[in-house]
Amino acid sequence: MHVSVNGVRLFFDVEGAKFVPDGPVMREKPTVLLLHGGPGFDHSIYKPAYSALADIAQIVYLDHRGNGRSEDGPREAWKLVQWGDDVRGFCDALGIIDPIVLGASFGGMVALAYATRHPDHPSKLVLISTEAAGDTYLDRRVALFERFGGPEVGALARSRFLDVDSPRDQAAVDAWRKLAFPIYTRTPRDPNLGSRTIVKAAVGLHFSAKPGGESHTFNMFPDLHRIQCPTLVMGGEDDPMHPIESQADIAAALPAHLVQFERFANCGHAVVPDAPERAMAVIRDFIARPK
């Protein structure tokens, strides 16, 4: 399904009803809006794992502009401010009130952009394996990629994160996907995940290309105090892409009474695939908890 938001048509999918029969009444379930990682991927990376939440919430999957089945729009709008405003515009277009917004990795950055710009809109936030500023803990990233992937992956990480003159072209992207992606998680990924994901490399290169890509220059820490809703921050102790220190920094910068910070041992960049039972239990409890 598509809906027009801020000049582009955004694709979304829905799993589960908003209202369900419950004896003599129709019970309203909260809406959880999922913001996928990347940029350059699509919402399918959340399927089928997050279907497990459909009994307690209506699940809405969104492809960001420039990603998946959504329209690209102008490249100059491929930035966190716009992606964050698109979340608000998308909710307004569909009449989604008080959403629980969940973002992992790049999706977490979009969630932070949205929540800092529209702090009175979300009812709750879930931030997984993400960061609030670019180019932090670069030496730590290289060390973790080398620890889990060996010298070849370590060299790739060193080139990507520390060598400002290294090319960020399609060949570099292909090498990273082949050798470094498998290191993101401690458990093997679904072998069908890649083939069923719509990949748009251009938006990823635009966001991450050196020099000047926004992934290296953004900083939302000065605005994190504006967030007004309960926020669950989750991260893997072995995450080589956004080390656990990045999530700890977010948790420390948010209003203390709003934060629940959960660290996952022996987990990489995706805590749900690496620790599905505990991760989903934590998310379910957070969704169900009264605000």
Side-chain angles (χ1 to χ4, degrees):
M1 295 176 284
H2 287 85
V3 63
S4 293
V5 176
N6 296 329
V8 298
R9 295 176 70 245
L10 299 182
F11 178 86
F12 69 100
D13 204 356
V14 179
E15 191 165 11
K18 178 65 174 174
F19 289 89
V20 294
D22 187 4
V25 300
M26 295 294 288
R27 175 171 52 86
E28 183 178 6
K29 295 191 294 184
T31 295
V32 176
L33 176 58
L34 300 183
L35 306 180
H36 65 78
F41 299 146
D42 68 1
H43 74 278
S44 68
I45 62 176
Y46 285 133
K47 295 179 177 178
Y50 284 82
S51 298
L53 300 175
D55 62 324
I56 63 168
Q58 180 186 54
I59 311 301
V60 178
Y61 304 88
L62 176 66
D63 286 358
H64 308 291
R65 69 167 61 214
N67 294 256
R69 294 170 175 82
S70 291
E71 288 183 344
D72 290 348
R75 290 195 176 199
E76 57 267 25
W78 292 351
K79 53 188 178 182
L80 289 169
V81 165
Q82 184 64 67
W83 281 312
D85 286 351
D86 284 347
V87 174
R88 173 61 189 265
F90 173 77
C91 290
D92 288 347
L94 292 187
I96 298 174
I97 299 172
D98 295 331
I100 299 171
V101 177
L102 182 153
S105 191
F106 166 74
M109 302 170 200
V110 175
L112 285 172
Y114 150 75
T116 53
R117 291 175 61 79
H118 308 279
D120 60 342
H121 195 256
S123 66
K124 297 178 182 179
L125 290 178
V126 181
L127 307 172
I128 304 175
S129 305
T130 193
E131 62 181 354
D135 279 359
T136 58
Y137 300 105
L138 297 182
D139 290 321
R140 175 72 170 148
R141 299 188 207 194
V142 172
L144 288 168
F145 272 111
E146 188 159 30
R147 173 184 167 190
F148 295 114
E152 187 175 14
V153 174
L156 271 180
R158 193 168 291 105
S159 175
R160 178 185 178 107
F161 297 123
L162 301 180
D163 183 357
V164 296
D165 296 320
S166 65
R168 289 290 292 135
D169 52 18
Q170 190 58 50
V173 171
D174 291 342
W176 187 262
R177 286 177 59 84
K178 178 182 179 181
L179 298 174
F181 263 21
I183 310 304
Y184 279 40
T185 58
R186 300 283 70 79
T187 55
R189 286 185 178 272
D190 179 347
N192 295 312
L193 182 65
S195 61
R196 66 180 179 235
T197 302
I198 295 176
V199 178
K200 291 185 175 179
V203 67
L205 288 171
H206 177 86
F207 187 67
S208 303
K210 294 178 181 288
E214 192 182 15
S215 71
H216 309 289
T217 61
F218 79 96
N219 182 7
M220 286 183 280
F221 279 108
D223 296 319
L224 292 189
H225 71 279
R226 303 187 70 231
I227 292 176
Q228 301 175 4
C229 64
T231 302
L232 171 63
V233 181
M234 304 168 67
E237 298 278 3
D238 295 339
D239 185 350
M241 194 62 191
H242 296 311
I244 191 65
E245 291 85 354
S246 294
Q247 287 93 69
D249 288 346
I250 293 172
L254 291 170
H257 68 286
L258 297 177
V259 179
Q260 177 182 344
F261 180 30
E262 299 287 343
R263 305 170 69 116
F264 289 75
N266 303 311
C267 287
H269 189 54
V271 296
V272 171
D274 279 349
E277 291 186 6
R278 181 191 166 203
M280 293 305 291
V282 168
I283 294 171
R284 288 177 68 89
D285 177 75
F286 183 74
I287 290 172
R289 188 182 313 152
K291 187 176 175 182

